[in-house]
Every structure is written in C-alpha cells, then in structure tokens.
Amino acid sequence: MVITKTRSPIRSNVGLKAVMAVTGILLALFLIAHMLGNLKVFTGETSFDHYAHWLRDIGKPLLPGVWFLWILRTVLVVAVVAHIVAATVLARRARAARPVKYAHRKKVNGSYAARTMRWGGVIILLFVIYHLLDLTTGTLNPVGDASKPYGNVVADFAPERWYVTLFYTLAILAVGFHLRHGAFSAFRSLGQQTPRGERRARTAALVFAVLLCAGYLVVPFAVLTGLVS
C-alpha cells in the first residue's frame, strides 16, 4: 500500500498567492494609515504629540501600556515574513518549471519594478530595522524621548543628518516600486487582462505608488528645508 502525502492547500501555488495577496493588502493598508498619521506633523507639535500618545493608549484599560502597538508590530512582522516566504517559494517554483534555455535565446525583459524587487526588499528590510531603532525605541535618535514624538521627528531629519533623509528616500522609493508592481499584479488578478484593462491597471498602480511615496517623503523634506521645525 502506497501512502501519498497531500500538499497543504496553503503550500500550493494558489494558496501562496492568496497569502501574498492578503499580507500585501494588510501591509498596504498599514502604509496608508501610517502615512496619514505622519502628515499630522504639519498640524503642529501639540497636535502631533497628542496623536502619538493616543496611539500608545489604544486598547486601554483592556490592554496595559503600549501593548496594542506591540501586537500590531508583531502582526506586521508576521505579515512581512509570510509575504517574503510566499514570494520566494513561488519564484523558485517558477524558475524550476521553466524549460532549459537555449544560449541564443534572448532574456525576456520584465518591468523595472519586477527586476528590482530583490534589492528593493533588502533596502526595505534594513530600513525597517533602522526605523524601529530610531523612532520606536529611540536608540539611534538624537533626542530619543518617547514623550516628545514631534521633537524626535524634527531631530531625525535635521539638515545635518541629510544621510538619514537620503536613506529614508531610497527606502520609500523601494516601497513605491514594490507597491506599483504588487498593485498592478493585483489588478490583473481581478480580471484586468485586456490591453485596455492592463493600461488602466498600470496607471492606477503608478498613481497609488506615487501618491503614497509623496505622502511619506513630504515629511522629511519639510524638516530638511525648515518648513517643519
């Protein structure tokens, strides 16, 4: 009697694509919410600090202290890891399923976003680690005072710390390429596979990525130029 092992549905290609879709949507929603929160820096120090302290109090008195934020961070880390693992497995399976290439066959050129997903992911990972040590724990921040979120942001992107702004910019642009590629793939999966539909999907994905990048980058450059101080 031969016993065959059945692959778990979540480990199938369809299951892994579903994992990528769900985690991608979750991360995109977080990025939107986080961007909107960042923009409150333009409402002034008092308003921004009040918003930051409000985030720490979410869940009280059911949850003590900043538990909600750490639960959220844990969920996001799990989502990021699941997203990366699913993408890696699918990429390896796709390469393994390709026929042997002939030496004279030209390499098919993918979109720029697709070709930069790997190094972009590395930049984003390094940035997330730095960002947590900078504005979450305060370890790498010049102020590093949890009671002064506005002061932490202003000190972080001060003109003399231009290299931080540069790193932040590179990371956000990498996020933008990821979002553009991911959003386009999602729109195609929803049925936009006609030539006209693909053009619409590309435009929508580009607009979404540009708006999100602009929303994130306006804060450090406002501090860098003295608009926020």
Side-chain angles (χ1 to χ4, degrees), residues 84-200:
I84 293 173
V85 170
T88 301
V89 173
L90 286 171
R92 288 178 176 176
R93 288 179 182 176
R95 284 197 298 268
R98 290 173 188 163
V100 178
K101 296 181 179 180
Y102 293 100
H104 65 273
R105 185 177 179 180
K106 293 183 179 180
K107 183 178 180 180
V108 178
N109 291 323
S111 69
Y112 184 73
R115 294 198 304 273
T116 57
M117 292 294 273
R118 182 175 299 176
W119 63 259
V122 173
I123 292 177
I124 293 171
L125 178 60
L126 293 175
F127 170 72
V128 169
I129 295 173
Y130 176 85
H131 195 58
L132 290 174
L133 293 173
D134 181 17
L135 294 176
T136 299
T137 66
T139 306
L140 301 178
N141 190 274
V143 175
D145 188 344
S147 66
K148 300 177 180 179
Y150 185 92
N152 291 336
V153 172
V154 171
D156 198 33
F157 299 114
E160 63 270 16
R161 287 169 57 86
W162 57 269
Y163 50 89
V164 174
T165 301
L166 176 61
F167 183 37
Y168 188 93
T169 301
L170 291 175
I172 294 301
L173 291 177
V175 170
F177 281 120
H178 269 66
L179 286 173
R180 180 192 172 197
H181 180 69
F184 172 67
S185 298
F187 290 140
R188 286 201 63 192
S189 298
L190 293 175
Q192 298 290 344
Q193 297 185 9
T194 63
R196 185 177 182 182
E198 285 202 5
R199 287 195 297 271
R200 289 179 175 177

Side-chain angles (χ1 to χ4, degrees), residues 42-78:
F42 292 103
T43 62
E45 182 175 0
T46 301
S47 178
F48 185 79
D49 284 352
H50 181 269
Y51 162 73
H53 293 311
W54 171 77
L55 288 177
R56 294 174 174 271
D57 291 335
I58 294 178
K60 286 185 177 180
L62 181 62
L63 297 174
V66 293
W67 276 34
F68 173 80
L69 285 180
W70 282 109
I71 291 173
L72 177 62
R73 289 163 186 157
T74 301
V75 171
L76 291 173
V77 168
V78 171

